[in-house]
Amino acid sequence: QVQLVESGGGLVQAGGSLRLSCAASGSTVNINTMFWYRQAPGKQRELVALISSGGSTDYIDPVKGRFTISRDNAKNTVYLQMNSLKPEDTAVYYCCATVSSRAYWGLGTQVTVSS
């Protein structure tokens, strides 16, 4: 079992920055890839970024060059640095971790970007 707790969301003006954190606990030694997803009102949840256990990263096109995902394995924490935020980035952001073929989710943190 893995428990995930997100933090760092909030209200920010367009062009601003936020840093999200996701702290994992439980059977963290078995965590493989970690993900950040987001879900805007009335829309489906979408993948934002991922980072493998080896540190390889990938992003969806709308956030490339603005968001950076990183992980600190010693602290069992994954981060999402979000710069140059836009109103369309407004969503609940969720952390996800995979262990073998099972996915674990946090409860999410709200990010609101005002224009």
Side-chain angles (χ1 to χ4, degrees):
Q1 291 281 350
V2 174
Q3 296 78 43
L4 302 172
V5 179
E6 303 96 335
S7 61
L11 173 63
V12 64
Q13 289 188 332
S17 298
L18 283 174
R19 188 194 196 203
L20 305 183
S21 299
C22 172
S25 60
S27 300
T28 58
V29 67
N30 297 316
I31 292 177
N32 298 316
T33 302
M34 298 190 76
F35 307 81
W36 283 101
Y37 281 77
R38 67 185 179 186
Q39 187 166 18
K43 295 187 177 181
Q44 289 188 331
R45 191 172 298 189
E46 66 172 352
L47 175 65
V48 175
L50 64 87
I51 184 165
S52 71
S53 56
S56 297
T57 60
D58 202 3
Y59 304 87
I60 57 171
D61 285 345
V63 308
K64 283 182 179 178
R66 300 189 297 122
F67 290 11
T68 302
I69 189 171
S70 61
R71 66 193 287 175
D72 185 334
N73 290 328
K75 295 183 178 180
N76 297 315
T77 301
V78 63
Y79 305 97
L80 187 67
Q81 178 66 44
M82 306 186 295
N83 299 328
S84 303
L85 282 161
K86 303 176 181 180
E88 51 264 43
D89 295 319
T90 294
V92 178
Y93 283 71
Y94 297 91
C95 176
C96 176
T98 55
V99 177
S100 299
S101 59
R102 182 170 179 177
Y104 295 88
W105 294 87
L107 295 180
T109 185
Q110 176 71 47
V111 171
T112 303
V113 184
S114 63
S115 58

XYZ file of all heavy atoms in Angstrom:
862
model
N 0.841 -1.192 0.000
C 0.000 0.000 0.000
C 0.879 1.247 0.000
O 1.926 1.301 0.656
C -0.907 0.033 1.234
C -1.984 -1.017 1.237
C -3.161 -0.646 0.357
O -3.255 0.477 -0.108
N -4.043 -1.601 0.116
N 0.440 2.245 -0.761
C 1.135 3.527 -0.833
C 0.104 4.625 -0.587
O -0.986 4.597 -1.151
C 1.797 3.722 -2.203
C 2.383 5.124 -2.323
C 2.879 2.664 -2.424
N 0.459 5.574 0.263
C -0.384 6.741 0.498
C 0.320 7.970 -0.078
O 1.526 8.131 0.086
C -0.641 6.947 1.993
C -1.437 5.822 2.651
C -0.579 4.583 2.944
O 0.545 4.697 3.417
N -1.117 3.399 2.680
N -0.460 8.816 -0.738
C 0.070 10.020 -1.376
C -0.680 11.243 -0.864
O -1.913 11.229 -0.821
C -0.089 9.929 -2.892
C 0.570 8.726 -3.578
C 0.156 8.658 -5.046
C 2.085 8.810 -3.470
N 0.059 12.278 -0.509
C -0.542 13.521 -0.039
C 0.056 14.684 -0.811
O 1.266 14.936 -0.733
C -0.313 13.724 1.466
C -0.922 15.039 1.912
C -0.921 12.565 2.256
N -0.797 15.391 -1.556
C -0.366 16.556 -2.319
C -0.478 17.825 -1.483
O -1.329 17.915 -0.592
C -1.215 16.737 -3.594
C -1.237 15.563 -4.539
C -2.437 14.668 -4.345
O -2.988 14.646 -3.228
O -2.849 13.991 -5.320
N 0.357 18.789 -1.811
C 0.300 20.108 -1.184
C 0.883 21.128 -2.139
O 1.513 20.767 -3.142
C 1.065 20.116 0.144
O 2.431 19.818 -0.070
N 0.661 22.396 -1.821
C 1.270 23.470 -2.593
C 0.350 24.191 -3.547
O 0.759 25.168 -4.190
N -0.889 23.730 -3.661
C -1.818 24.428 -4.541
C -2.244 25.767 -3.960
O -1.907 26.112 -2.820
N -2.966 26.527 -4.758
C -3.444 27.822 -4.289
C -3.922 28.679 -5.433
O -4.110 28.199 -6.556
N -4.109 29.953 -5.121
C -4.558 30.942 -6.095
C -3.373 31.801 -6.503
O -2.654 32.330 -5.638
C -5.651 31.814 -5.482
C -6.133 33.007 -6.301
C -6.782 32.541 -7.596
C -7.106 33.843 -5.474
N -3.168 31.944 -7.800
C -2.052 32.720 -8.299
C -2.495 33.472 -9.545
O -3.392 33.023 -10.266
C -0.843 31.800 -8.606
C -1.169 30.823 -9.721
C 0.410 32.591 -8.924
N -1.887 34.623 -9.790
C -2.198 35.379 -11.002
C -1.492 34.774 -12.208
O -0.452 34.106 -12.068
C -1.774 36.832 -10.836
C -2.639 37.631 -9.872
C -2.301 39.109 -9.884
O -1.178 39.498 -10.162
N -3.288 39.938 -9.586
N -2.053 35.000 -13.363
C -1.423 34.537 -14.598
C 0.013 35.048 -14.672
O 0.281 36.209 -14.342
C -2.220 35.008 -15.809
N 0.915 34.162 -15.096
C 2.324 34.498 -15.145
C 3.090 34.127 -13.895
O 4.328 34.148 -13.887
N 2.351 33.759 -12.854
C 2.986 33.402 -11.595
C 3.450 31.961 -11.557
O 3.370 31.233 -12.561
N 3.927 31.559 -10.387
C 4.489 30.220 -10.212
C 3.936 29.553 -8.962
O 3.564 30.229 -7.998
C 6.017 30.296 -10.082
O 6.611 30.818 -11.254
N 3.898 28.250 -9.007
C 3.572 27.428 -7.845
C 4.432 26.178 -7.892
O 4.814 25.716 -8.985
C 2.095 27.016 -7.845
C 1.041 28.027 -7.442
C -0.346 27.459 -7.656
C 1.214 28.482 -6.001
N 4.699 25.622 -6.736
C 5.407 24.360 -6.648
C 4.551 23.368 -5.879
O 4.277 23.575 -4.696
C 6.755 24.533 -5.952
C 7.632 23.276 -5.995
C 8.770 23.394 -5.020
N 9.829 22.426 -5.264
C 10.697 22.020 -4.332
N 10.602 22.504 -3.101
N 11.638 21.144 -4.631
N 4.139 22.329 -6.550
C 3.367 21.277 -5.916
C 4.297 20.201 -5.388
O 5.327 19.904 -5.995
C 2.381 20.650 -6.901
C 1.417 21.598 -7.613
C 0.463 20.801 -8.492
C 0.669 22.477 -6.641
N 3.909 19.622 -4.265
C 4.644 18.506 -3.688
C 3.707 17.331 -3.484
O 2.512 17.516 -3.235
C 5.253 18.898 -2.344
O 6.163 19.963 -2.467
N 4.257 16.143 -3.552
C 3.492 14.927 -3.299
C 4.368 14.006 -2.454
O 5.385 13.508 -2.939
C 3.099 14.247 -4.599
S 2.337 12.616 -4.373
N 3.960 13.825 -1.220
C 4.721 12.989 -0.300
C 4.120 11.593 -0.256
O 2.913 11.437 -0.047
C 4.711 13.609 1.091
N 4.966 10.607 -0.464
C 4.522 9.211 -0.453
C 4.929 8.545 0.853
O 5.996 8.822 1.405
C 5.135 8.465 -1.627
N 4.077 7.663 1.320
C 4.385 6.866 2.508
C 3.861 5.448 2.289
O 3.078 5.192 1.383
C 3.772 7.481 3.757
O 2.364 7.550 3.634
N 4.308 4.539 3.134
C 3.918 3.135 2.982
C 5.014 2.361 2.274
O 6.190 2.539 2.557
N 4.618 1.560 1.298
C 5.568 0.712 0.572
C 6.257 1.489 -0.543
O 6.175 1.150 -1.714
C 4.850 -0.511 -0.003
O 4.258 -1.278 1.022
N 6.972 2.531 -0.156
C 7.559 3.445 -1.139
C 8.729 2.831 -1.891
O 9.050 3.280 -2.991
C 8.011 4.737 -0.458
O 8.961 4.401 0.568
C 6.838 5.479 0.152
N 9.366 1.817 -1.322
C 10.535 1.239 -1.981
C 10.159 0.607 -3.319
O 10.994 0.459 -4.206
C 11.214 0.205 -1.065
C 10.312 -1.011 -0.851
C 12.559 -0.213 -1.617
N 8.886 0.271 -3.472
C 8.445 -0.401 -4.694
C 7.853 0.546 -5.735
O 7.372 0.091 -6.770
C 7.401 -1.476 -4.341
C 7.981 -2.553 -3.454
O 9.083 -3.036 -3.685
N 7.237 -2.932 -2.419
N 7.877 1.843 -5.467
C 7.289 2.805 -6.406
C 8.117 2.878 -7.684
O 9.331 2.996 -7.633
C 7.168 4.205 -5.775
C 6.123 4.190 -4.662
C 6.803 5.243 -6.834
C 5.992 5.514 -3.939
N 7.455 2.817 -8.799
C 8.123 2.950 -10.098
C 7.930 4.377 -10.608
O 8.432 5.318 -10.036
C 7.575 1.914 -11.075
C 7.833 0.500 -10.604
O 8.925 0.186 -10.157
N 6.823 -0.341 -10.673
N 7.148 4.529 -11.665
C 6.918 5.840 -12.235
C 5.922 6.632 -11.382
O 4.987 6.062 -10.805
C 6.375 5.702 -13.668
O 7.323 4.955 -14.444
C 6.164 7.054 -14.313
N 6.153 7.938 -11.309
C 5.226 8.836 -10.627
C 4.713 9.851 -11.621
O 5.424 10.243 -12.551
C 5.896 9.506 -9.432
C 6.356 8.505 -8.379
S 6.875 9.250 -6.846
C 5.275 9.668 -6.121
N 3.481 10.256 -11.421
C 2.787 11.099 -12.374
C 2.124 12.273 -11.674
O 1.751 12.186 -10.516
C 1.661 10.319 -13.074
C 2.070 9.017 -13.699
C 2.208 7.877 -12.931
C 2.286 8.922 -15.065
C 2.561 6.659 -13.509
C 2.641 7.712 -15.650
C 2.772 6.590 -14.865
N 1.932 13.339 -12.422
C 1.008 14.404 -12.059
C -0.087 14.438 -13.130
O 0.210 14.486 -14.325
C 1.691 15.759 -11.994
C 2.499 15.976 -10.756
C 3.849 15.868 -10.622
C 2.000 16.343 -9.466
N 4.229 16.131 -9.339
C 3.102 16.434 -8.596
C 0.727 16.603 -8.952
C 2.981 16.783 -7.251
C 0.599 16.945 -7.620
C 1.713 17.035 -6.782
N -1.313 14.393 -12.666
C -2.486 14.547 -13.516
C -3.216 15.818 -13.084
O -2.984 16.348 -11.994
C -3.443 13.364 -13.349
C -3.068 12.112 -14.078
C -2.063 11.282 -13.589
C -3.726 11.733 -15.235
C -1.718 10.112 -14.259
C -3.407 10.564 -15.909
C -2.410 9.758 -15.410
O -2.080 8.597 -16.075
N -4.138 16.269 -13.922
C -5.005 17.374 -13.530
C -6.390 17.171 -14.124
O -6.546 16.514 -15.157
C -4.428 18.725 -13.965
C -4.378 18.958 -15.467
C -3.667 20.274 -15.769
N -3.575 20.527 -17.206
C -2.906 21.550 -17.739
N -2.254 22.407 -16.951
N -2.892 21.708 -19.055
N -7.358 17.760 -13.435
C -8.734 17.693 -13.912
C -9.388 19.050 -13.735
O -9.547 19.524 -12.606
C -9.528 16.618 -13.175
C -10.917 16.392 -13.749
C -11.555 15.120 -13.236
O -11.144 14.558 -12.221
N -12.567 14.646 -13.947
N -9.725 19.667 -14.846
C -10.413 20.945 -14.830
C -11.920 20.703 -14.764
O -12.404 19.630 -15.157
C -10.064 21.741 -16.087
N -12.682 21.680 -14.292
C -14.130 21.511 -14.197
C -14.747 21.135 -15.539
O -14.472 21.763 -16.558
C -14.614 22.895 -13.736
C -13.442 23.470 -13.029
C -12.230 22.980 -13.754
N -15.547 20.077 -15.534
C -16.225 19.648 -16.743
C -15.359 18.919 -17.739
O -15.826 18.606 -18.848
N -14.108 18.645 -17.370
C -13.201 17.970 -18.295
C -12.699 16.667 -17.694
O -12.770 16.452 -16.490
C -12.024 18.877 -18.653
C -12.421 20.118 -19.422
C -11.185 20.873 -19.901
C -11.579 22.075 -20.738
N -10.379 22.813 -21.242
N -12.174 15.816 -18.561
C -11.600 14.563 -18.089
C -10.241 14.805 -17.449
O -9.551 15.782 -17.772
C -11.453 13.580 -19.262
C -12.774 13.032 -19.784
C -12.574 11.928 -20.800
O -11.563 11.907 -21.523
N -13.514 11.010 -20.890
N -9.872 13.913 -16.561
C -8.549 13.988 -15.966
C -7.507 13.723 -17.053
O -7.665 12.817 -17.864
C -8.420 12.955 -14.852
C -7.193 13.101 -13.994
C -7.227 12.160 -12.798
N -8.356 12.442 -11.926
C -8.511 11.866 -10.724
N -7.607 10.997 -10.280
N -9.566 12.155 -9.986
N -6.440 14.520 -17.062
C -5.401 14.360 -18.072
C -4.027 14.282 -17.421
O -3.767 14.903 -16.392
C -5.426 15.516 -19.079
C -5.070 16.871 -18.517
C -4.920 17.953 -19.590
O -4.935 17.626 -20.793
O -4.782 19.136 -19.211
N -3.175 13.511 -18.080
C -1.797 13.414 -17.631
C -1.066 14.715 -17.921
O -1.195 15.268 -19.017
C -1.100 12.251 -18.351
C 0.388 12.079 -18.094
C 0.647 11.724 -16.640
C 0.960 11.005 -19.021
N -0.309 15.194 -16.962
C 0.467 16.419 -17.135
C 1.947 16.097 -17.329
O 2.590 16.609 -18.253
C 0.300 17.350 -15.922
C 1.203 18.565 -16.050
C -1.161 17.759 -15.764
N 2.486 15.269 -16.446
C 3.911 14.957 -16.496
C 4.164 13.642 -15.786
O 3.374 13.224 -14.938
C 4.734 16.068 -15.834
N 5.273 13.016 -16.136
C 5.666 11.792 -15.450
C 7.171 11.760 -15.257
O 7.927 12.419 -15.990
C 5.205 10.561 -16.231
C 5.800 10.315 -17.628
C 7.105 9.535 -17.550
C 4.797 9.559 -18.491
N 7.593 10.995 -14.272
C 9.019 10.799 -14.022
C 9.229 9.349 -13.620
O 8.552 8.825 -12.731
C 9.543 11.783 -12.955
C 11.060 11.616 -12.801
C 8.812 11.643 -11.634
C 11.704 12.791 -12.036
N 10.160 8.699 -14.289
C 10.430 7.294 -14.012
C 11.290 7.156 -12.761
O 11.822 8.144 -12.233
C 11.138 6.653 -15.206
O 12.470 7.147 -15.296
N 11.465 5.936 -12.324
C 12.318 5.696 -11.161
C 13.762 6.100 -11.451
O 14.508 6.450 -10.535
C 12.258 4.223 -10.753
O 12.614 3.392 -11.848
N 14.134 6.079 -12.733
C 15.484 6.470 -13.121
C 15.643 7.944 -13.417
O 16.745 8.410 -13.719
N 14.536 8.687 -13.354
C 14.623 10.129 -13.545
C 14.230 10.636 -14.925
O 14.261 11.843 -15.173
N 13.847 9.733 -15.828
C 13.392 10.186 -17.144
C 12.040 10.877 -16.996
O 11.198 10.431 -16.221
C 13.265 8.989 -18.092
O 14.526 8.384 -18.292
N 11.860 11.946 -17.767
C 10.646 12.746 -17.647
C 9.952 12.909 -18.998
O 10.569 12.765 -20.062
C 10.955 14.139 -17.090
O 11.863 14.815 -17.979
C 11.598 14.054 -15.710
N 8.672 13.215 -18.926
C 7.910 13.537 -20.125
C 6.763 14.445 -19.728
O 6.304 14.401 -18.576
C 7.385 12.274 -20.808
C 7.064 12.499 -22.271
O 7.299 13.627 -22.783
O 6.570 11.574 -22.929
N 6.322 15.259 -20.688
C 5.292 16.264 -20.424
C 4.308 16.319 -21.585
O 4.648 16.023 -22.730
C 5.928 17.651 -20.274
C 6.996 17.753 -19.226
C 8.322 17.445 -19.516
C 6.691 18.176 -17.938
C 9.311 17.535 -18.556
C 7.674 18.275 -16.969
C 8.978 17.952 -17.286
O 9.958 18.050 -16.330
N 3.105 16.764 -21.284
C 2.195 17.060 -22.376
C 2.616 18.383 -22.996
O 3.233 19.235 -22.340
C 0.731 17.120 -21.902
C 0.536 18.154 -20.780
C 0.261 15.738 -21.459
C -0.925 18.413 -20.432
N 2.282 18.554 -24.267
C 2.749 19.729 -24.998
C 2.368 21.064 -24.352
O 3.190 21.988 -24.328
C 2.235 19.676 -26.435
C 2.996 18.660 -27.285
O 4.084 18.223 -26.850
O 2.490 18.295 -28.357
N 1.144 21.224 -23.836
C 0.763 22.540 -23.294
C 1.619 23.024 -22.116
O 1.606 24.216 -21.805
C -0.689 22.337 -22.855
C -1.189 21.222 -23.692
C -0.022 20.308 -23.836
N 2.334 22.128 -21.460
C 3.109 22.550 -20.292
C 4.615 22.481 -20.539
O 5.397 22.894 -19.669
C 2.740 21.725 -19.033
C 1.235 21.739 -18.816
C 3.286 20.307 -19.104
N 5.019 21.980 -21.680
C 6.456 21.872 -21.964
C 7.103 23.251 -21.926
O 6.589 24.208 -22.495
C 6.678 21.216 -23.324
C 6.484 19.714 -23.329
C 6.764 19.110 -24.695
C 6.596 17.592 -24.659
N 6.810 16.977 -25.989
N 8.223 23.333 -21.264
C 8.937 24.587 -21.125
C 8.464 25.447 -19.967
O 9.106 26.442 -19.630
N 7.336 25.079 -19.379
C 6.804 25.848 -18.238
C 6.805 25.044 -16.940
O 6.999 25.592 -15.864
C 5.374 26.309 -18.533
C 5.239 27.200 -19.749
C 3.839 27.798 -19.850
N 2.807 26.779 -20.035
C 1.774 26.618 -19.199
N 1.655 27.388 -18.129
N 0.858 25.687 -19.440
N 6.545 23.750 -17.041
C 6.471 22.880 -15.861
C 7.698 21.978 -15.809
O 8.210 21.544 -16.845
C 5.231 21.987 -15.923
C 3.918 22.699 -15.735
C 3.820 24.084 -15.749
C 2.760 21.964 -15.548
C 2.609 24.728 -15.586
C 1.532 22.582 -15.374
C 1.467 23.972 -15.400
N 8.129 21.672 -14.594
C 9.237 20.738 -14.392
C 8.878 19.751 -13.298
O 8.542 20.171 -12.182
C 10.524 21.476 -14.008
O 10.861 22.432 -15.017
C 11.672 20.486 -13.856
N 8.955 18.473 -13.619
C 8.712 17.431 -12.624
C 10.044 16.913 -12.109
O 11.007 16.789 -12.881
C 7.860 16.277 -13.214
C 7.431 15.297 -12.121
C 8.600 15.562 -14.340
C 6.405 14.260 -12.601
N 10.107 16.649 -10.819
C 11.329 16.110 -10.234
C 10.943 15.222 -9.059
O 9.801 15.262 -8.592
C 12.266 17.231 -9.781
O 11.635 18.034 -8.792
N 11.884 14.427 -8.608
C 11.597 13.558 -7.470
C 12.818 13.461 -6.582
O 13.961 13.491 -7.067
C 11.125 12.170 -7.912
C 12.119 11.317 -8.623
C 11.453 10.111 -9.295
N 11.028 9.090 -8.347
C 10.343 8.000 -8.689
N 9.985 7.813 -9.954
N 10.004 7.092 -7.784
N 12.565 13.352 -5.296
C 13.602 13.143 -4.291
C 13.308 11.792 -3.659
O 12.435 11.678 -2.805
C 13.568 14.272 -3.255
C 14.694 14.173 -2.250
O 15.189 13.054 -2.007
O 15.068 15.206 -1.685
N 14.035 10.780 -4.108
C 13.745 9.419 -3.636
C 14.051 9.269 -2.144
O 13.411 8.470 -1.466
C 14.543 8.407 -4.454
C 14.038 8.302 -5.891
O 12.844 8.463 -6.155
N 14.937 8.057 -6.821
N 15.003 10.026 -1.646
C 15.332 9.946 -0.219
C 14.173 10.455 0.637
O 13.964 9.977 1.761
C 16.595 10.739 0.083
N 13.438 11.416 0.109
C 12.298 11.981 0.832
C 10.973 11.395 0.366
O 9.917 11.798 0.865
C 12.268 13.500 0.659
C 13.452 14.225 1.281
C 13.311 15.734 1.121
C 14.467 16.463 1.783
N 14.352 17.936 1.626
N 11.030 10.486 -0.603
C 9.806 9.887 -1.154
C 8.817 10.958 -1.594
O 7.616 10.875 -1.305
C 9.158 8.950 -0.137
C 10.045 7.774 0.210
O 10.630 7.151 -0.669
N 10.164 7.489 1.497
N 9.327 11.943 -2.284
C 8.516 13.099 -2.679
C 8.740 13.404 -4.155
O 9.874 13.345 -4.647
C 8.863 14.322 -1.833
O 8.624 14.009 -0.449
C 8.003 15.516 -2.218
N 7.656 13.735 -4.829
C 7.743 14.205 -6.207
C 7.211 15.636 -6.246
O 6.301 15.985 -5.482
C 6.956 13.290 -7.170
C 5.475 13.283 -6.846
C 7.182 13.681 -8.615
N 7.795 16.441 -7.096
C 7.455 17.859 -7.177
C 6.996 18.216 -8.587
O 7.355 17.548 -9.556
C 8.681 18.721 -6.830
C 9.294 18.416 -5.495
C 10.389 17.565 -5.396
C 8.782 18.979 -4.330
C 10.970 17.273 -4.170
C 9.354 18.699 -3.099
C 10.443 17.845 -3.018
O 11.006 17.557 -1.807
N 6.227 19.264 -8.671
C 5.875 19.848 -9.961
C 6.052 21.354 -9.843
O 5.244 22.028 -9.190
C 4.450 19.498 -10.370
C 4.070 19.932 -11.782
C 4.865 19.134 -12.826
C 2.570 19.766 -12.032
N 7.110 21.852 -10.436
C 7.348 23.295 -10.482
C 6.600 23.844 -11.677
O 6.843 23.424 -12.812
C 8.842 23.586 -10.608
C 9.172 25.062 -10.714
C 8.845 25.836 -9.455
O 9.136 25.382 -8.344
N 8.227 27.002 -9.621
N 5.709 24.774 -11.433
C 4.869 25.336 -12.487
C 5.158 26.819 -12.608
O 4.912 27.582 -11.667
C 3.392 25.094 -12.171
C 3.062 23.636 -11.910
S 1.286 23.342 -11.717
C 0.967 24.270 -10.216
N 5.689 27.217 -13.750
C 6.007 28.617 -14.024
C 5.138 29.139 -15.159
O 4.554 28.363 -15.917
C 7.481 28.749 -14.390
C 8.414 28.310 -13.287
O 8.116 28.454 -12.097
N 9.562 27.764 -13.660
N 5.094 30.450 -15.272
C 4.319 31.089 -16.353
C 2.906 30.512 -16.431
O 2.420 30.149 -17.510
C 5.035 30.911 -17.693
O 6.341 31.444 -17.648
N 2.270 30.444 -15.296
C 0.943 29.818 -15.233
C -0.079 30.609 -16.042
O -0.025 31.842 -16.115
C 0.498 29.679 -13.789
C 1.158 28.509 -13.040
C 1.044 28.687 -11.539
C 0.530 27.191 -13.476
N -1.013 29.859 -16.603
C -2.075 30.431 -17.424
C -3.437 30.061 -16.818
O -3.542 29.037 -16.125
C -1.992 29.866 -18.842
C -0.650 30.084 -19.526
C -0.628 29.416 -20.894
C 0.718 29.618 -21.585
N 0.746 28.966 -22.926
N -4.455 30.845 -17.109
C -5.787 30.489 -16.587
C -6.214 29.072 -16.969
O -6.902 28.408 -16.185
C -6.695 31.543 -17.226
C -5.802 32.743 -17.394
C -4.461 32.165 -17.762
N -5.794 28.597 -18.121
C -6.170 27.245 -18.544
C -5.456 26.151 -17.760
O -5.762 24.969 -17.925
C -5.925 27.048 -20.049
C -4.552 27.446 -20.522
C -4.526 28.860 -21.093
O -5.132 29.778 -20.497
O -3.867 29.049 -22.151
N -4.518 26.530 -16.899
C -3.886 25.558 -16.005
C -4.732 25.318 -14.752
O -4.402 24.425 -13.948
C -2.495 26.028 -15.580
C -1.514 26.102 -16.732
O -1.518 25.189 -17.583
O -0.753 27.097 -16.793
N -5.799 26.075 -14.598
C -6.666 25.908 -13.436
C -7.270 24.510 -13.421
O -7.871 24.068 -14.405
C -7.792 26.950 -13.451
O -7.215 28.245 -13.284
C -8.797 26.694 -12.337
N -7.076 23.806 -12.311
C -7.546 22.420 -12.202
C -7.216 21.894 -10.811
O -6.459 22.530 -10.061
C -6.868 21.529 -13.247
N -7.752 20.742 -10.506
C -7.273 19.981 -9.358
C -6.137 19.100 -9.856
O -6.295 18.380 -10.850
C -8.382 19.116 -8.732
C -7.827 18.291 -7.575
C -9.542 19.986 -8.268
N -5.008 19.173 -9.190
C -3.832 18.418 -9.584
C -3.685 17.206 -8.667
O -3.718 17.337 -7.437
C -2.590 19.301 -9.530
C -2.502 20.245 -10.702
C -3.377 21.328 -10.820
C -1.567 20.046 -11.714
C -3.320 22.179 -11.909
C -1.493 20.897 -12.806
C -2.371 21.960 -12.897
O -2.310 22.806 -13.985
N -3.507 16.055 -9.292
C -3.408 14.790 -8.572
C -2.055 14.139 -8.799
O -1.534 14.126 -9.906
C -4.474 13.812 -9.061
C -5.895 14.249 -8.833
C -6.583 14.973 -9.792
C -6.567 13.923 -7.652
C -7.892 15.368 -9.600
C -7.879 14.308 -7.442
C -8.531 15.038 -8.423
O -9.838 15.424 -8.215
N -1.543 13.567 -7.742
C -0.326 12.779 -7.810
C -0.718 11.314 -7.943
O -1.711 10.863 -7.357
C 0.479 12.995 -6.533
S 1.970 12.013 -6.383
N 0.068 10.575 -8.706
C -0.192 9.150 -8.915
C 1.134 8.415 -8.884
O 2.128 8.902 -9.440
C -0.892 8.946 -10.250
S -1.166 7.223 -10.699
N 1.134 7.261 -8.262
C 2.343 6.434 -8.214
C 1.981 5.011 -8.614
O 0.918 4.512 -8.255
C 2.944 6.450 -6.823
N 2.868 4.388 -9.356
C 2.634 3.006 -9.770
C 3.566 2.057 -9.029
O 4.758 2.352 -8.859
C 2.837 2.824 -11.280
O 4.146 3.295 -11.645
C 1.804 3.604 -12.063
N 2.995 0.961 -8.585
C 3.735 -0.129 -7.956
C 3.307 -1.401 -8.687
O 2.143 -1.800 -8.597
C 3.424 -0.241 -6.459
C 4.167 -1.430 -5.859
C 3.769 1.053 -5.737
N 4.253 -1.980 -9.417
C 3.923 -3.082 -10.336
C 2.839 -2.578 -11.272
O 3.035 -1.607 -11.959
C 3.497 -4.315 -9.552
O 4.545 -4.761 -8.718
N 1.714 -3.196 -11.319
C 0.660 -2.773 -12.239
C -0.453 -2.001 -11.540
O -1.484 -1.707 -12.145
C 0.068 -3.997 -12.932
O -0.469 -4.897 -11.976
N -0.238 -1.616 -10.295
C -1.289 -0.942 -9.537
C -0.957 0.540 -9.409
O 0.198 0.905 -9.218
C -1.440 -1.571 -8.152
C -2.540 -0.954 -7.333
C -2.816 -1.748 -6.073
N -3.881 -1.119 -5.290
C -4.372 -1.615 -4.176
N -3.909 -2.773 -3.692
N -5.337 -0.987 -3.523
N -1.991 1.363 -9.521
C -1.839 2.811 -9.396
C -2.461 3.292 -8.091
O -3.549 2.862 -7.714
C -2.503 3.514 -10.573
N -1.766 4.186 -7.444
C -2.242 4.817 -6.215
C -2.391 6.314 -6.474
O -1.567 6.915 -7.175
C -1.264 4.582 -5.064
C -1.141 3.130 -4.670
C -0.225 2.299 -5.304
C -1.939 2.595 -3.662
C -0.106 0.965 -4.945
C -1.822 1.265 -3.296
C -0.912 0.452 -3.948
O -0.800 -0.862 -3.595
N -3.428 6.905 -5.880
C -3.743 8.309 -6.116
C -3.830 9.083 -4.816
O -4.261 8.560 -3.793
C -5.097 8.425 -6.822
C -5.110 7.858 -8.198
C -5.352 6.561 -8.551
C -4.874 8.567 -9.413
N -5.274 6.418 -9.920
C -4.981 7.647 -10.467
C -4.578 9.896 -9.726
C -4.810 8.003 -11.807
C -4.417 10.246 -11.043
C -4.525 9.308 -12.073
N -3.436 10.354 -4.898
C -3.699 11.269 -3.812
C -5.080 11.888 -3.973
O -5.801 11.613 -4.939
N -5.448 12.745 -3.025
C -6.765 13.380 -3.049
C -6.785 14.654 -3.881
O -7.864 15.177 -4.167
C -7.214 13.679 -1.623
C -7.454 12.428 -0.744
C -7.883 12.867 0.648
C -8.487 11.511 -1.361
N -5.626 15.154 -4.258
C -5.555 16.316 -5.126
C -5.360 17.623 -4.384
O -5.649 17.740 -3.195
N -4.865 18.610 -5.129
C -4.694 19.960 -4.608
C -5.170 20.934 -5.687
O -4.858 20.765 -6.863
C -3.234 20.218 -4.196
O -3.118 21.505 -3.583
C -2.272 20.128 -5.363
N -5.929 21.941 -5.275
C -6.531 22.874 -6.222
C -5.530 23.943 -6.634
O -4.872 24.566 -5.787
C -7.751 23.543 -5.593
C -8.395 24.618 -6.462
C -9.104 24.044 -7.672
O -9.865 23.085 -7.559
N -8.866 24.636 -8.848
N -5.430 24.161 -7.926
C -4.639 25.255 -8.492
C -5.597 26.148 -9.271
O -6.291 25.675 -10.169
C -3.526 24.730 -9.405
C -2.854 25.884 -10.150
C -2.501 23.945 -8.607
N -5.619 27.419 -8.907
C -6.476 28.384 -9.589
C -5.617 29.531 -10.086
O -4.901 30.150 -9.302
C -7.574 28.910 -8.661
O -8.338 27.819 -8.160
C -8.490 29.870 -9.405
N -5.686 29.785 -11.383
C -4.903 30.852 -12.002
C -5.866 31.924 -12.496
O -6.705 31.658 -13.356
C -4.045 30.316 -13.163
C -3.163 31.435 -13.719
C -3.201 29.137 -12.711
N -5.736 33.109 -11.949
C -6.617 34.208 -12.335
C -6.000 35.013 -13.464
O -4.784 35.155 -13.553
C -6.892 35.104 -11.138
O -5.693 35.702 -10.687
N -6.861 35.552 -14.316
C -6.371 36.329 -15.464
C -6.195 37.792 -15.110
O -6.613 38.250 -14.059
C -7.342 36.180 -16.639
O -8.632 36.602 -16.255
